[in-house]
Amino acid sequence: MLDNSLKGQLKAYLERVTMPMELVAALDGSAKSEELLALLRDVAAQSEKITLRLDGQDARVPSFAINRVGSDVSVRFAGLPMGHEFTSLVLALLQVGGHPPKITPEVIAQIEALTGEYHFETYFSQSCQLCPDVVQALNLLSVINPRITHVAIDGALFQAEVEARKVMAVPTVLLNGAEFSQGRITLEEILAKLDTGAAERETAAIAARAAYDVLIVGGGPAGAAAAVYAARKGIRTGVLAERFGGQVLDTMAIENFISVPHTEGPKFAAALEQHVRGYGVDIINLQRATGIIPAAGGLTEVQLASGAAVRARALILAPGARWRQMNVPGEDEYRNKGVAYCPHCDGPLFKGKRVAVIGGGNSGVEAAIDLAGIVAHVTLIEFDAQLRADAVLQRKLASLPNTTVITSALSTEVHGDGSKVVGLSYKDRVSEAMHRLDLDGIFVQIGLVPNTEWLKGVVALSPRGEIEVDARGETSVPGVFAAGDATTVPYKQIVIAAGDGAKAALSAFDYLIRLAPAA
């Protein structure tokens, strides 16, 4: 199952294990059970502290548990944790085996203090780059607190269960049988939902913070680069982020960041955070900015949704962007119930079904190509009279037998049966005739919109809602700078955002050293 290189790497990791474990498998005669058995045998062979049992009993087959011998510590997987989830398997082995997790003692204490019974189930797909963070966070909770259990379920393998429970997006997390979350959710966010007093404590802690020399709003590539460059100047630097990493966390593959031939979004985001923390930057995560009160030469105040406020002598805005929506009836109602924005994550859940992709740019055509290998049929719908994707992508799409392209089409409504998507209506922009497609899923790929609504009336914005900046990253407000996808700088690329973040930090430092000394 595992090649020799992977076995060698796994063996090296498992040398850190200090406590005996047993892998307890529930199998039948299916091909997937044979694959899982081969995987578990390979894993067990890499450490003398691991034993394999084949007498497991579970309603989901194939599945297995990783148990710490002589304790109630256990982590369970239903299906094969391969693809992106192989890392989750390795971490589960290490943590059940006694290797300490990389979290603070304060977080461990918070997990241990949770009372009540929490039984989590997470549906993942092996191609989902968002799923491992969720699976790993919940596995860790179950290792630390015996009142918490977790099973990670391969949705593509347990298709009947997915359909019965109306799971149409991954990762989907259930708590005690009821929906808990959909999409990426961090350990901190999970704890905030479980620990009802955490938000109040965090708000008080934020309000007590001293003012920063430079505060960056946004934790994506632009914000991270700004933080590193500011901190290297020896000034007090903070980062305020709704989710550190930003839209990079939703990116499948990154192959154009110079000197890094290939990486994945969550891995890149983790590296950004590690780099920023290495400079002692104060990161305030999971906090949404709602407004700013500028004070040129004084302390600019950033107001938060929690009611707290943070102050700084200079401010760098890097709020990034988000997926643009169709803004048609039914879209919000059926989000994650057939309306999706990540074909890599959710595509496997639509195996053998009919889907549409909205958008004829590179993202849309790439999504249609990827989905065509999974689903029964893909209809690509483009507003313009022709596709806008690169010619090589258009040729590839045209070569696929289970795809249809409709141009000059305006999507007008998403249809559902109350629980899931069943169709899409669109208008032919040439004939103005209305049409309806019967569908099981709709993947929206029509670009980005800047996260700047909260800045209207404070800094100058373009007609597209982008923050207007000059060559130095300066906005219309003295002492307030901006960088990244939310600005008027063309070409929304990670490398460009990072460069602009560095430039904004240098401009902010230059601004600070030229301020008149406080009286």
Side-chain angles (χ1 to χ4, degrees), residues 4 13 55 62 87 99 103 120 133 140 185 217 249 261 278 352 377 391 400-401 424 434 441 466 493 505:
N4 289 332
Y13 278 119
D55 57 350
T87 301
H99 187 68
I103 56 175
F120 287 101
D133 284 350
L140 181 57
I185 185 170
V217 180
L249 294 167
H377 189 272
L400 301 175
L424 174 75
M434 295 299 300
E466 297 169 324
Q493 298 291 309

Side-chain angles (χ1 to χ4, degrees), residues 123 155-167:
Y123 291 90
L157 185 57
F158 295 92
Q159 195 75 34
E161 182 177 332
V162 162
E163 293 183 3
R165 302 183 89 166
K166 297 181 173 60
V167 175

Side-chain angles (χ1 to χ4, degrees), residues 450-472:
N451 296 317
T452 58
E453 292 86 352
W454 60 287
L455 295 170
K456 289 181 179 178
V458 180
V459 298
L461 303 177
S462 74
R464 295 170 57 89
E466 297 169 324
I467 304 168
E468 294 183 349
V469 293
D470 64 12
R472 295 169 54 87

Side-chain angles (χ1 to χ4, degrees), residues 17 144 258:
V17 167
I144 294 174
I258 308 308

Side-chain angles (χ1 to χ4, degrees), residues 22 205 514:
E22 56 182 13
R514 295 172 190 277

